[in-house]
Amino acid sequence: MTTSPDAREIRRWRRYLAAERAEAAVYRDLASRRTGEEREILLALATAEKRHEDHWLTLLGEHAGRPLATDPRTRLLGFLARRFGSVFVLALAQRAESRSPYLDDADATDTMAADEAVHEEVVRALATRGRQRLSGTFRAAVFGANDGLVSNLALVLGMSAAGLPNAVVLLSGVAGLLAGALSMAAGEYVSVRSQLELENAAAHGPIATDSVTHLDVNENELALVYRARGMSSEDAELQAAEVLSGRDAQPQAATIAHNPIGSAVGASASSFMFFASGAVIPVLPYLFGAEGLTAVFIASALVGVALLITGAIVGLLSGASPLKRALRQLAIGYGAAAATYLLGLLFGVSVG
């Protein structure tokens, strides 16, 4: 004889039910903005969440009641999925899947717990694809903005602490902005361009068909090419045999896929703009006439907010805790600025 669930069980099951419905909706919304394999994977995840939903509905029976509102994090996921469908949503979904309570809940089946563990890895892989598509230009943008924030805040605070006039601090901040942005852009261009040239130099070249026709079949020199490209001896022999027999019309091995790094010009322009957008923030109080400690506090507060935002973005993209990454970014930025401010104070005292 089955016993009726108590009030606590009903509340817990209804929360699970609401979460499963919300997560399924997130995956469907993400799928609506994807095509091909990624769309199929996301729809399969939504179907799995529907199976979990049915499990809780069966347990609840007549106690299912009206749908509950899910937790704020899942509501945020749904909002972002409907409007953006970006890698940030997948990164948040990855963290949500990693916090599944089913392993420790006797009312959830072992299959459901296993599903959630697998879902975390599936979403992690999809998020990784998105991160790779964002590499290069986006990487330069995020870190360029962070560099601009920290370096120019340190510059203007150090000069303010030294007791220099407001006009001099402002001019120095603008000069630091331009110098840093141009330096970052040039460095990013050279870096990405060099990497692209290295990859092009290492790319597999085609093997001319007319050359293959004159190879000694018994010696099979073509197999050496495939072995040099990373194939095992057995696979290289088979590939070469197919080419020499005419079954493979393209006498070349497939190249190894590599992560996209973006264009040199795109990364350079992105680095310039985002360094400048970060570096202008600590200059704003001086630009609008603030002086002394007032300008220092305003600049520090504005940069602090920006550092928290960039840190949270990096945390999301890396699959780590956005809050921890944001606080770490803030601590590093403020640490550098505080050190420069103290040096400025010492310099001002020694000059005075």
Side-chain angles (χ1 to χ4, degrees), residues 134-315:
L134 286 176
S135 64
T137 300
F138 189 82
R139 174 183 57 82
V142 171
F143 292 103
N146 186 70
D147 286 347
L149 287 165
V150 175
S151 63
N152 230 28
L153 177 65
L155 174 63
V156 298
L157 292 194
M159 301 197 73
S160 294
L164 295 174
N166 195 67
V168 176
V169 176
L170 176 59
L171 180 61
S172 300
V174 173
L177 183 157
L178 292 174
L182 290 171
S183 176
M184 287 286 293
E188 194 66 29
Y189 179 86
V190 171
S191 174
V192 175
R193 184 68 182 174
S194 298
Q195 188 171 348
L196 287 170
E197 289 172 351
L198 286 172
E199 290 191 355
N200 289 336
H204 297 164
I207 306 170
T209 304
D210 56 352
S211 297
V212 171
T213 58
H214 297 293
L215 286 175
D216 188 326
V217 177
N218 295 322
E219 296 296 336
N220 201 359
E221 296 286 333
L222 186 57
L224 296 179
V225 175
Y226 299 133
R227 290 173 65 184
R229 290 179 177 178
M231 283 188 177
S232 67
S233 178
E234 294 77 9
D235 290 340
E237 295 287 346
L238 289 174
Q239 175 72 13
E242 288 191 1
V243 171
L244 292 172
S245 66
R247 292 194 298 271
D248 190 338
Q250 299 296 324
Q252 51 184 314
T255 59
I256 299 173
H258 58 80
N259 294 338
I261 60 173
S263 71
V265 173
S268 176
S270 176
S271 185
F272 179 92
M273 289 186 295
F274 279 86
F275 182 97
S277 67
V280 75
I281 292 177
V283 178
L284 291 176
Y286 300 93
L287 187 63
F288 288 99
E291 298 181 358
L293 288 177
T294 301
V296 169
F297 289 139
I298 295 174
S300 299
L302 292 175
V303 170
V305 172
L307 286 172
L308 289 172
I309 293 172
T310 59
I313 290 173
V314 172

Side-chain angles (χ1 to χ4, degrees), residues 30 34 42 86-95 123 126-127:
L30 287 172
R34 297 291 199 279
L42 289 164
S86 68
V87 63
F88 298 102
V89 182
L90 287 170
L92 286 170
Q94 174 188 327
R95 290 184 57 78
V123 176
L126 291 176

Side-chain angles (χ1 to χ4, degrees), residues 5-62:
D6 59 32
R8 182 179 300 177
E9 288 176 324
I10 290 173
R11 285 195 300 270
R12 188 175 75 255
W13 296 348
R14 293 187 70 198
R15 285 198 304 271
Y16 289 160
L17 175 62
E20 295 292 357
R21 285 171 169 168
E23 289 172 9
V26 167
Y27 291 134
R28 285 193 296 269
D29 287 331
L30 287 172
S32 68
R33 289 165 173 78
R34 297 291 199 279
T35 58
E37 185 182 38
E38 287 192 15
R39 175 183 172 83
E40 294 176 4
I41 292 172
L42 289 164
L43 289 175
L45 289 174
T47 300
E49 302 295 356
K50 180 63 170 64
R51 291 196 302 269
H52 299 176
E53 174 188 339
D54 292 340
H55 171 81
W56 299 118
L57 281 172
T58 301
L59 284 182
L60 283 164
E62 62 182 9

